[in-house]
């Protein structure tokens, strides 16, 4: 809790020195300000997210290698979407390791309540049911003895157990309520129990001294966890900080709240229900004022505007301070988008959209469209783009209309509506020229080149990329220049001009090395490795793939790692090193399956089949199974084999037809056609291991 950046880096180094370059990513998890390293400085939001997940998984594995480990996460129903993704990665990583990952959650009907980890063989869901009569009676007796040192009366036990219906929190609160009504002899005067848990908790809060009652209700606006200084700052009428702390200590005797850390005066409500009841008891107008005051107090703390950004967005969104509501919702949305937390970004953008100024509405809608697109909701993204264009037209924003058209073109291209995409790009280009937006023109030309390449028009693609390259050079956009050189190299390779592809690829690689973008360097090296493969220079291809792989491992992008290992496996196979190829294929298979990359899985099945055929007759049936399973998967995702690929696979399969009985191959073919994807994945792994 009290770690500093130096201690964090030292702890990472102690577990795995190779991960030190990525240590700054842990700042987001620990709430620390940690300056970027040379490595992480070039990471975009998506890479930060995936690299952080990989980093924590590796650190957990390193720690588990030293001995059994238990990790407990309480209140997991409050995890945000990014944290849930992280938990999912860690849960997969602990499978097969001496680690117990215990996530405690309360399925209370909230949006994200329920099991926060996808079911699997390594996951056990223990659902705690209501206490039975015997257990409920035992709990009542235990709590009563802990409070007054004697057994409860039988009629008290009966009344409490009947009312609580097996809810442990309700049972304990009822016992404490009854004892609070006790007379001088220690026996309850009247055994009249509140009709519900809500009314019980409220009655216990309202029974406190005035200062304690008010302090608890103000604290409920802050959240489940709070600190005395913030309570005092949020409502000065409570008194000075020391007086507020004394009032909170008075309420702590009832276990409504608990002092978590005396040194910093940190508290927590004893139960989420307690906090909710206290909060709901406040008038709406009072809550609105208090949220604004809590936001002001957080904002004034050292580095508060950065450290508390999500809290500031939360509190000001519930206040009547419109300027700060707009500001912090937009800043929180931008931070979420930068961290690739699309669900969180969507939530913030939808909250700020009704309150932004008219001239800002189009830009917010385009940001919303991008987040929706990345999240896979293309229909909602297209709707947001249409609304953005309408808002830009209403505001007379020519550039905004053009940006909306570019967004529409990208959505159309990705869905195969090529004519519509070109029409939108042409209109956007005219608008960008009208307002003198050179960067916008460069973007249009980039997308036009990709559109042409996708449709099989390399000459048109090259012309568009070259024009975009010239504009980006004029803007001093070095990263954009490197990207265009890379795309031009790919076009040259596709048309068979391997020398030109090599020249352009080397330029792009050199530029990306100068920029220090390790991930981009890894991508360029992978492209150069594919080029060397096309030229038949397998040793050079392997060297390039190995260097790309090392960078991918350092960066920590699991998908790029998987692609790199796949490429290495193919080269090793073609060089006759079948053992190394098998190990790399297995890593790639796991990476693709984890990311649901079905297109790459289909390719890998085919490459593993070729590997199996190289081993001899014993693996012919497995190879046929995988080839048919790959074909079926391609049909499902709409990605048929190109004729050259079909011809190469037929050539590789030819020897098997001469050395293995037809009925064996036919049976394998039928099994491959009928196999579900998980079964096909297991068969591929078995072929590689066996």
């Amino acid at each position: 809790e009290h770690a500093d950046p130096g201690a964090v880096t030292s702890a990472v180094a102690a577990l795995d020195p190779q991960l030190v370059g990525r240590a700054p990513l842990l700042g987001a998890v620990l709430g620390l300000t940690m300056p970027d390293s040379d490595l992480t400085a070039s990471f975009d939001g998506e890479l930060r997210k995936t690299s952080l997940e990989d980093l924590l998984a590796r650190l957990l594995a390193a720690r588990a290698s030293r001995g059994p480990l238990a990790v407990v996460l309480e209140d997991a129903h409050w995890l945000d979407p990014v944290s849930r993704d992280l938990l999912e990665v860690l849960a997969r990583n602990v499978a097969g390791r001496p680690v117990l990952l215990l996530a405690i959650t309360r399925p209370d009907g909230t949006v994200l309540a329920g099991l926060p980890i996808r079911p699997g063989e390594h996951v056990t869901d223990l659902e705690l049911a209501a206490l039975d009569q015997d257990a409920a009676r035992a709990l009542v007796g235990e709590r009563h003895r802990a409070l007054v040192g004697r057994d409860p009366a039988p009629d008290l036990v009966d009344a409490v157990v009947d009312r609580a219906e097996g809810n442990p929190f309700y049972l304990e609160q009822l016992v404490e309520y009854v004892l609070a009504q006790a007379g001088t002899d220690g026996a309850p005067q009247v055994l009249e129990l509140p009709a519900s848990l809500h009314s019980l908790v409220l009655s216990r809060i309202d029974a406190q001294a005035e200062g304690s009652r008010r302090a608890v209700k103000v604290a409920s606006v802050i959240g489940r966890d709070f600190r005395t200084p913030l309570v005092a700052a949020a409502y000065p009428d409570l008194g000075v900080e020391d007086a507020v702390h004394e009032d909170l200590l008075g309420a702590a005797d009832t276990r409504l709240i608990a002092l978590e850390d005396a040194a910093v005066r940190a508290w927590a409500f004893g139960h989420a229900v307690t906090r909710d009841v206290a909060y709901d008891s406040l008038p709406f107008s009072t809550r609105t004022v208090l949220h604004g005051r809590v936001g002001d107090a957080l904002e004034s703390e050292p580095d508060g505007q950065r450290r508390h950004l999500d809290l500031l967005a939360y509190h000001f969104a519930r206040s009547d301070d419109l300027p700060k509501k707009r500001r912090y919702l937009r800043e929180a949305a931008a931070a979420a988008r930068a961290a690739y937390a699309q669900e969180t970004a969507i939530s913030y953008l939808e909250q700020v959209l009704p309150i932004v100024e008219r001239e800002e509405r189009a830009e917010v809608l385009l940001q919303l469209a991008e987040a929706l697109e990345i999240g896979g909701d293309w229909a909602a993204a297209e709707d947001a783009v249409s609304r953005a264009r309408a808002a830009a037209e209403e505001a007379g924003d020519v550039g905004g209309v053009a940006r909306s058209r570019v967004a529409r073109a990208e959505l159309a291209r990705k869905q195969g509506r090529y004519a519509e995409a070109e029409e939108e790009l042409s209109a956007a280009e005219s608008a960008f020229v009208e307002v003198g937006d050179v960067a916008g023109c460069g973007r249009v030309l980039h997308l036009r080149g990709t559109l042409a390449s996708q449709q099989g028009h390399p000459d048109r693609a090259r012309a568009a990329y070259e024009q975009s390259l010239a504009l980006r050079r004029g803007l001093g956009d070095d990263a954009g220049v490197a990207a265009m050189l890379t795309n031009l190299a790919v076009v040259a390779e596709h048309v068979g001009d391997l020398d030109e592809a090599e020249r352009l690829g080397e330029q792009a690689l050199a530029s990306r090395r100068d920029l220090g973008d390790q991930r981009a360097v890894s991508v360029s090296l992978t492209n150069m490795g594919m080029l060397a493969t096309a030229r038949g220079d397998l040793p050079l291809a392997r060297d390039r793939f190995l260097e790309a792989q090392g960078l991918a491992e350092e960066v920590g992008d699991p998908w790029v790692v998987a692609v790199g290992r796949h490429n290495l496996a193919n080269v090793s196979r073609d060089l006759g090193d079948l053992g190394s190829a098998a190990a790399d294929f297995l890593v790639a298979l796991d990476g693709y399956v984890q990311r649901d990359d079905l297109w790459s899985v289909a390719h890998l099945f085919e490459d593993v089949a070729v590997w199996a055929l190289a081993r001899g007759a014993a693996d012919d049936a497995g190879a046929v199974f995988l080839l048919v399973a790959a074909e079926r998967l391609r049909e499902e995702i709409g990605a048929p084999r190109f004729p050259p690929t079909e011809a190469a696979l037929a050539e590789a399969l030819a020897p098997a037809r001469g050395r293995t009985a037809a009925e064996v191959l036919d049976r394998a073919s039928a099994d491959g056609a009928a196999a579900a994807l998980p079964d096909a994945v297991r068969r591929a792994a078995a072929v590689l291991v066996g």
Side-chain angles (χ1 to χ4, degrees):
E1 182 178 347
H2 304 294
D4 59 73
V8 172
T9 302
S10 297
V12 172
L15 286 171
D16 189 339
Q18 294 183 342
L19 301 177
V20 169
R22 285 193 270 157
L25 298 176
L26 294 172
V29 177
L30 301 173
L32 296 175
T33 300
M34 297 184 67
D36 275 319
S37 65
D38 291 341
L39 176 64
T40 60
S42 64
F43 286 8
D44 60 14
E46 179 183 6
L47 184 52
R48 283 183 178 275
K49 178 177 183 292
T50 57
S51 186
L52 173 61
E53 292 170 349
D54 179 75
L55 171 62
L56 283 170
R58 293 189 184 210
L59 291 174
L60 182 63
R63 171 60 183 82
S65 68
R66 301 182 178 185
L69 177 66
V71 180
V72 180
L73 296 111
E74 296 195 47
D75 295 325
H77 48 278
W78 285 339
L79 290 172
D80 58 76
V82 177
S83 299
R84 285 192 164 227
D85 288 348
L86 179 57
L87 180 58
E88 180 68 35
V89 171
L90 296 181
R92 287 199 305 265
N93 185 261
V94 302
R97 302 183 188 278
V99 176
L100 172 64
L101 180 58
L102 183 62
I104 303 169
T105 182
R106 173 166 51 92
D108 57 358
T110 56
V111 175
L112 294 177
L115 191 67
I117 303 172
R118 283 187 291 180
E121 295 179 357
H122 62 299
V123 177
T124 301
D125 185 10
L126 297 176
E127 184 174 347
L128 302 182
L131 298 178
D132 60 28
Q133 288 280 318
D134 291 340
R137 288 176 177 276
L139 180 58
V140 171
E142 179 182 324
R143 186 64 191 146
H144 193 280
R145 286 188 293 274
L147 292 172
V148 297
R150 65 176 184 276
D151 289 332
D155 60 339
L156 184 152
V157 175
D158 290 341
V160 169
V161 170
D162 288 345
R163 178 59 53 84
E165 298 180 342
N167 184 318
F169 177 65
Y170 201 176
L171 285 165
E172 291 187 336
Q173 290 294 308
L174 281 171
V175 171
E176 296 183 23
Y177 171 81
V178 169
L179 291 175
Q181 316 302 314
T184 57
D185 61 353
Q189 297 299 300
V190 181
L191 200 59
E192 295 182 1
L193 303 181
S196 67
L197 178 57
H198 184 282
S199 60
L200 167 62
V201 172
L202 183 58
S203 67
R204 298 204 65 218
I205 293 173
D206 288 341
Q208 304 306 302
E210 181 182 2
S212 296
R213 181 180 68 252
R214 295 169 72 201
V216 167
K217 290 188 175 184
V218 171
S220 72
V221 175
I222 298 171
R224 175 77 184 272
D225 303 296
F226 58 92
R227 298 191 181 196
T228 302
L230 189 54
V231 177
Y235 199 62
D237 290 353
L238 293 175
V240 298
E241 181 184 327
D242 287 343
V244 173
H245 195 64
E246 287 300 315
D247 286 335
L248 291 171
L249 287 171
D253 292 339
T254 64
R255 297 203 312 159
L256 291 169
I257 59 175
L259 184 60
E260 300 275 294
D261 188 336
V264 295
R265 296 184 167 183
W267 298 83
F269 280 91
H271 196 282
V273 172
T274 308
R275 183 266 171 183
D276 293 344
V277 170
Y279 184 78
D280 291 341
S281 70
L282 291 167
F284 179 82
S285 59
T286 301
R287 295 202 303 255
T288 299
V289 171
L290 288 174
H291 276 299
R293 289 179 177 175
V294 172
D296 288 336
L298 291 169
E299 185 182 43
S300 66
E301 291 184 5
D303 198 25
Q305 296 180 32
R306 187 202 63 83
R307 289 192 304 118
H308 301 311
L309 181 55
D310 285 314
L311 287 174
L312 290 169
Y314 172 81
H315 287 294
F316 283 123
R318 288 155 180 79
S319 77
D320 55 6
D321 190 332
L322 186 57
K324 288 187 177 180
K325 184 185 298 191
R326 288 172 177 156
R327 172 188 171 185
Y328 285 112
L329 282 172
R330 292 202 68 175
E331 289 185 7
R337 292 173 66 228
Y340 224 66
Q342 303 305 330
E343 290 183 55
T344 304
I346 290 167
S347 174
Y348 284 135
L349 291 167
E350 289 177 338
Q351 289 179 70
V352 78
L353 189 57
I355 60 174
V356 294
E357 300 288 356
R358 187 183 71 160
E359 59 271 16
E360 297 175 320
R361 185 172 173 80
E363 185 59 33
V364 172
L365 281 164
L366 286 176
Q367 293 170 3
L368 176 61
E370 181 182 0
L372 289 165
E373 178 190 344
I374 295 172
D377 193 345
W378 287 9
E382 292 211 44
D383 177 68
V385 168
S386 296
R387 291 157 60 198
R389 178 174 171 181
E393 289 173 341
E394 181 182 347
D397 180 3
V398 176
V401 173
R403 289 189 292 275
S404 300
R405 285 185 174 277
V406 169
R408 169 76 70 182
E410 267 294 83
L411 285 166
R413 179 188 67 80
K414 291 176 179 179
Q415 297 175 72
R417 305 196 310 265
Y418 299 136
E420 179 185 345
E422 178 54 44
E423 180 181 348
E424 294 289 353
L425 287 175
S426 295
E429 185 176 39
S430 297
F432 284 137
V433 169
E434 178 185 341
V435 298
D437 187 340
V438 178
C441 291
R443 174 67 174 160
V444 166
L445 289 165
H446 182 167
L447 298 181
R448 180 173 286 148
T450 302
L451 178 63
S453 179
Q454 196 167 345
Q455 295 179 88
H457 303 299
D459 291 340
R460 283 159 45 188
R462 181 189 296 111
Y465 286 148
E466 286 176 344
Q467 292 177 63
S468 181
L469 175 63
L471 291 180
R472 286 172 166 174
R473 278 179 171 155
L475 292 169
D477 179 6
D478 293 335
V481 167
M484 288 302 91
L485 290 171
T486 299
N487 287 1
L488 285 166
V490 172
V491 171
E493 181 181 347
H494 285 169
V495 299
D497 191 348
L498 302 187
D499 290 339
E500 178 67 0
E502 186 83 23
R503 184 185 69 81
L504 292 168
E506 289 286 3
Q507 287 185 36
L509 177 59
S511 177
R512 285 174 163 173
R513 289 192 194 277
D514 290 341
L515 291 170
D517 188 340
Q518 302 290 66
R519 188 195 200 194
V521 171
S522 178
V523 171
S524 282
L525 283 166
T526 297
N527 289 342
M528 297 296 287
M530 298 298 292
L531 179 58
T533 302
R535 303 186 78 151
D537 192 341
L538 295 182
L540 177 59
R542 187 170 194 172
D543 288 344
R544 287 172 170 174
F545 287 145
L546 282 170
E547 186 179 355
Q549 182 64 27
L551 292 173
E553 294 278 358
E554 183 181 358
V555 166
D557 186 328
W559 185 80
V560 175
V561 168
V563 171
R565 296 294 283 270
H566 189 168
N567 288 327
L568 274 173
N570 283 334
V571 172
S572 296
R573 178 199 63 202
D574 294 344
L575 287 170
D577 187 354
L578 299 184
S580 295
D584 286 331
F585 276 135
L586 284 169
V587 173
L589 177 62
D590 182 61
Y592 293 154
V593 170
Q594 286 188 18
R595 295 181 68 90
D596 295 322
D597 185 351
L598 302 185
W599 184 84
S600 294
V601 169
H603 277 275
L604 189 135
F605 282 174
E606 293 162 354
D607 290 333
V608 172
V610 175
W611 174 90
L613 291 167
R615 281 168 55 92
D619 288 320
D620 286 348
V624 169
F625 175 98
L626 291 174
L627 288 173
V628 175
E631 187 173 12
R632 176 183 170 181
L633 183 56
R634 283 178 173 276
E635 290 175 356
E636 290 177 359
I637 63 176
R641 290 175 184 145
F642 290 123
T645 302
E646 193 73 62
L649 291 176
E651 182 180 353
L653 185 60
R657 299 194 182 282
R659 67 193 179 202
T660 300
E663 58 268 22
V664 172
L665 299 182
D666 289 344
R667 186 165 56 251
S669 178
D671 290 344
L677 180 59
D679 294 330
V681 169
R682 281 192 287 270
R683 181 64 179 273
V687 167
L688 290 165
V689 173

